[in-house]
């Protein structure tokens, strides 16, 4: 048991490091997309995204195909943390869970309030409800040792629960029509995956092969294909840390879940998410016009992220801590906790993804996309400012070394 803990900490540090570096790369990809979309290369950029290859456009391959890999990794992270990580007990889940709930409710309410007079826009209520962990950790990495390690773990746990909430929202609210034969095929495929798990099949390639079939059925069923990645992740076997001191470790090399998660991390952080950002952040500003900056969809997305996230996350955390339900993260001050709440307003990846599902009209997509970009940028600046102006607690270094 004593040898397992350093490995668990090491795995968490590696996760935070890869997410931070991926977040910085994502920032660059988003900035490049905006530059290209407003340059002489704009026509080529949009033409390639609408080019059909193998029955789907390049944009659809990115959003339905590559992002299925992203959702697979998200599902693996959720399962690992729930079974054998930072979310393995109810006491550990409480504060990030409460924070995630507040961080979804308040932004959605603000978006709805801003767009109440424009019913066509209300379908985008969930757009500001998501947090982009890679982008947020990328900003935290720029602050260096000013951020206690416990707060980084808290943000990671919050974002993981937030991702789970976003996944449920997509499944329930953004499924328009269903194709019964494809649903039947997906159900049969899922039975195969669950049976393999129960029989303790450890061949990872078998899971991936059946998972590919599950993705095809989801693509045809009307349920968004990326959710197949999450469902596949839930069936991948994990070897949890033994409480009796056996040699099994959270990052046991023989655990298919950990092998797959470690293999996917660099591809998702350094390829999948930046490609998604590049494909979806491009907005031709000359076609949208200055009026888009004050459009209800734009304001709803921007204010939902910039105001809704710190209000929801901050107030729900404050209530949980003051009521004695949870404790403040070690080494963190209230102003630093506010900084984390502000950084939760960076909703880039999942917000843009939900935006694509919510609207068919290109003008609404572009307006909300601008809102997400503006809200995320302002949230990043507010979070950075909160940490930069906050004196570092004496025990933050020790907490960071322990986290």
């Amino acid at each position: 048991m004593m040898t397992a803990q350093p490995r668990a900490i090491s795995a968490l540090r590696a996760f935070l490091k890869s997410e931070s570096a991926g977040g910085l790369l994502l920032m660059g990809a988003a900035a490049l997309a905006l530059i290209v979309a407003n340059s002489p290369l704009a026509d080529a950029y949009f033409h390639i995204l609408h080019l059909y290859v193998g029955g789907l456009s390049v944009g659809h391959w990115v959003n339905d195909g590559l992002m299925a890999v992203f959702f697979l990794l998200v599902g693996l992270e959720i399962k690992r943390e729930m079974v054998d990580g930072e979310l393995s007990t109810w006491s550990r889940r409480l504060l990030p869970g409460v924070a995630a709930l507040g961080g979804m409710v308040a932004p959605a309410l603000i978006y709805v309030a801003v767009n109440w007079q424009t019913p066509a826009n209300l379908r985008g209520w969930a757009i500001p409800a998501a947090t982009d962990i890679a982008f947020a950790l990328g900003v935290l990495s720029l602050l260096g040792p000013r951020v206690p390690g416990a707060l980084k773990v808290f943000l990671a746990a919050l974002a993981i629960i937030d991702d789970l909430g976003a996944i449920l929202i997509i499944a329930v609210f953004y499924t328009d029509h269903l194709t019964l034969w494809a649903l039947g095929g997906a159900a049969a495929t899922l039975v195969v995956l669950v049976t393999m798990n129960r029989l303790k099949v450890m061949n990872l390639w078998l899971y991936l092969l059946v998972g590919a079939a599950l993705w095809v059925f989801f693509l045809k069923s009307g349920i968004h294909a990326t959710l197949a990645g999450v469902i596949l992740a839930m069936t991948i076997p994990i070897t949890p840390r033994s409480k009796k001191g056996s040699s099994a470790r959270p990052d046991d090399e023989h655990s298919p879940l950990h092998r797959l998660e470690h293999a996917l991390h660099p591809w998702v952080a350094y390829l999948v998410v930046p490609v998604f950002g590049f494909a979806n952040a491009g907005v031709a500003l000359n076609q949208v016009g200055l009026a888009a900056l004050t459009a209800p969809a734009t304001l709803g997305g921007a204010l939902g992220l910039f105001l809704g996230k710190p209000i929801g996350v901050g107030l729900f955390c404050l209530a949980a801590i003051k009521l004695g339900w949870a404790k403040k993260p070690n080494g963190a001050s209230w102003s630093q906790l506010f900084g984390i709440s502000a950084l939760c307003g960076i909703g880039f990846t999942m917000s843009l993804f939900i935006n694509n599902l919510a609207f068919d009209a290109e003008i609404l997509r572009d307006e909300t996309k601008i809102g997400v970009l503006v809200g995320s940028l302002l949230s990043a600046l507010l979070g950075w400012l909160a940490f930069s102006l906050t004196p570092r607690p004496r025990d933050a270094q020790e907490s960071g070394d322990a986290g």
Side-chain angles (χ1 to χ4, degrees), residues 111 115 291-303 366-368 370-372 374:
Y111 182 94
N115 287 274
L293 294 176
T294 57
T298 305
L299 291 176
L303 295 178
D366 285 345
E367 288 174 354
T368 313
I370 293 171
V372 169
V374 171

Side-chain angles (χ1 to χ4, degrees), residues 306-361:
F306 181 58
L307 297 181
K309 280 292 185 178
I311 290 173
V313 173
L315 287 182
F316 275 55
C317 280
L318 179 64
I321 294 170
K322 291 298 185 181
L323 290 172
W325 297 349
K327 294 182 179 179
K328 194 166 52 173
N330 292 332
S333 65
W334 284 109
S335 57
Q336 287 176 319
L337 195 57
F338 170 78
I340 286 293
S341 301
L343 289 179
C344 287
I346 303 175
F348 190 82
T349 305
M350 196 68 81
S351 292
L352 291 183
F353 186 82
I354 295 175
N355 182 38
N356 290 334
L357 300 179
F359 300 123
D360 294 323

